[in-house]
Amino acid sequence: ALPASRQTLLFTATNSSSISSVIKTCKNDPFIWTAPDLSASSTVDKLDQKYLLTPPEARNSYLTQLLLSKKEENPKTSSIVFCRTCRQAELIGSLLSKVGLKSSTLHSVKPQKERMASLASFKSGHTKILVATDVASRGLDIHAVDLVVNHNVPRDPVDYVHRVGRTARAGRGGEAVSLVTPHDVGLVHAVEAHTGVQWTELELKDERVSEIMVQVNTLYRQAEMMLEKEDWGKNREINVRKRKIEQGIDPDLEMKTKQKAKRKHFKKQKKERLKMKTMKSDQKL
């Protein structure tokens, strides 16, 4: 529909098979240029990257104490807490609200209307904490974010870069803190190798964490019981099941296949551990 003498430039932030197919339909062999994705492997200099060592069972207590201490230092501090799953994000959001840290949640289980409301509440400053999954790690431009907290260390270093990219934007400074358990050391090294930046340790007062641990664990368990009572996420499971049936996939057979593969994997790992144990015993003899 455009005039033949006119030059047309089309831009897209993402690429997909559908976009490629549209390009192929163009009869004048259009020129294609792809910008290098510098953000996928680097973080800005003004971002202060830290880690907070915690036992797995005390992770939520350290998170709570970290946010409480930041609030004490500056009540206007704006933070985003990233979680691995939608359920975890909902539980952490409920926990923080119960301890007096007003927060909004953002994840894919929420209807779009509720997502927009949560984001608007955070952007306006009505809530100072946004608890989200990786759905919030790309495409959001919120200027006032001072702190990004990784409730878990991402398995993919690129996901880490996108998460922490929500702060220290447009020349401003920012801080990123990752809660690290002894099991996460390998993931930390992978992220450091990817970004070329070594994290520094952030220390909290352990006695203050100990004081709130029982209360935090109790409130977290109450939040879990509430979700179970509400059958939270059940509608999503039903919709996923419907989509698979429409695609000609048997959900029950697929589940059995996955469980069988998992048992086979664990059995193989067990054999390898026994083999290593036997080899070590033989060496000692």
Side-chain angles (χ1 to χ4, degrees), residues 200-214:
T200 57
E201 185 175 1
L202 174 67
E203 295 183 1
L204 286 181
K205 294 180 179 179
D206 292 335
E207 59 272 14
R208 295 191 67 179
V209 175
S210 301
E211 289 172 4
I212 65 170
M213 188 177 296
V214 174

Side-chain angles (χ1 to χ4, degrees), residues 4-285:
S5 60
R6 174 174 175 170
Q7 183 188 45
T8 305
L9 304 177
L10 304 176
F11 298 88
T12 176
T14 57
N15 200 357
S16 65
S17 57
S18 59
I19 292 173
S20 300
S21 62
V22 170
I23 293 172
K24 288 176 183 177
T25 61
C26 297
K27 298 178 181 179
N28 61 343
D29 189 24
F31 171 75
I32 303 168
W33 180 76
T34 304
D37 189 6
L38 299 176
S39 63
S41 60
S42 60
T43 52
V44 296
D45 295 333
K46 290 190 176 182
L47 176 64
D48 190 8
Q49 301 178 60
K50 299 178 180 179
Y51 67 91
L52 180 57
L53 283 175
T54 170
E57 65 275 7
R59 191 198 301 261
N60 294 333
S61 301
Y62 273 93
L63 170 66
T64 304
Q65 183 55 45
L66 171 64
L67 295 174
L68 285 171
S69 62
K70 291 294 180 182
K71 184 180 178 181
E72 289 174 6
E73 291 173 11
N74 182 6
K76 295 183 179 180
T77 297
S78 182
S79 310
I80 298 180
V81 179
F82 281 104
C83 301
R84 179 175 285 127
T85 64
C86 301
R87 181 181 177 81
Q88 195 177 60
E90 193 69 21
L91 289 170
I92 293 298
S94 177
L95 167 65
L96 296 179
S97 296
K98 288 177 183 295
V99 297
L101 293 167
K102 204 170 183 181
S103 63
S104 303
T105 56
L106 182 64
H107 50 73
S108 60
V109 174
K110 272 183 172 290
Q112 184 64 22
K113 187 177 180 180
E114 291 183 20
R115 289 191 224 177
M116 297 302 293
S118 294
L119 194 56
S121 178
F122 181 65
K123 278 188 170 183
S124 65
H126 182 66
T127 55
K128 294 297 182 182
I129 300 172
L130 179 67
V131 184
T133 58
D134 283 326
V135 72
S137 66
R138 292 167 171 81
L140 292 184
D141 186 19
I142 306 170
H143 297 285
V145 179
D146 305 299
L147 171 69
V148 167
V149 181
N150 289 307
H151 185 264
N152 65 287
V153 182
R155 297 188 178 280
D156 188 345
V158 174
D159 290 336
Y160 171 83
V161 174
H162 282 292
R163 284 184 179 189
V164 300
R166 299 309 97 198
T167 186
R169 299 174 70 83
R172 290 181 292 273
E175 185 179 12
V177 178
S178 300
L179 302 179
V180 177
T181 69
H183 307 293
D184 300 325
V185 175
L187 297 176
V188 173
H189 290 164
V191 172
E192 288 179 336
H194 183 77
T195 60
V197 178
Q198 191 169 3
W199 301 355
T200 57
E201 185 175 1
L202 174 67
E203 295 183 1
L204 286 181
K205 294 180 179 179
D206 292 335
E207 59 272 14
R208 295 191 67 179
V209 175
S210 301
E211 289 172 4
I212 65 170
M213 188 177 296
V214 174
Q215 181 189 6
V216 167
N217 290 341
T218 302
L219 293 174
Y220 188 82
R221 181 54 188 152
Q222 287 176 357
E224 284 183 317
M225 292 170 66
M226 187 62 68
L227 289 192
E228 289 170 7
K229 187 178 179 180
E230 296 173 355
D231 284 335
W232 189 87
K234 201 70 177 177
N235 290 337
R236 187 187 191 189
E237 293 176 10
I238 293 170
N239 290 334
V240 169
R241 187 178 178 86
K242 282 182 180 177
R243 282 198 298 270
K244 287 182 178 179
I245 293 172
E246 289 171 358
Q247 295 168 3
I249 301 170
D250 185 344
D252 296 326
L253 181 61
E254 186 184 49
M255 179 63 71
K256 288 179 181 178
T257 304
K258 286 182 178 180
Q259 288 175 345
K260 187 177 179 181
K262 189 179 285 187
R263 285 195 298 268
K264 189 176 179 181
H265 176 69
F266 286 145
K267 193 174 180 180
K268 185 179 178 182
Q269 283 188 325
K270 188 176 180 181
K271 282 184 178 179
E272 289 177 355
R273 285 197 297 268
L274 287 171
K275 187 178 178 181
M276 290 294 294
K277 193 174 180 181
T278 304
M279 288 174 63
K280 287 180 179 178
S281 299
D282 292 341
Q283 288 175 357
K284 287 180 181 179
L285 291 172

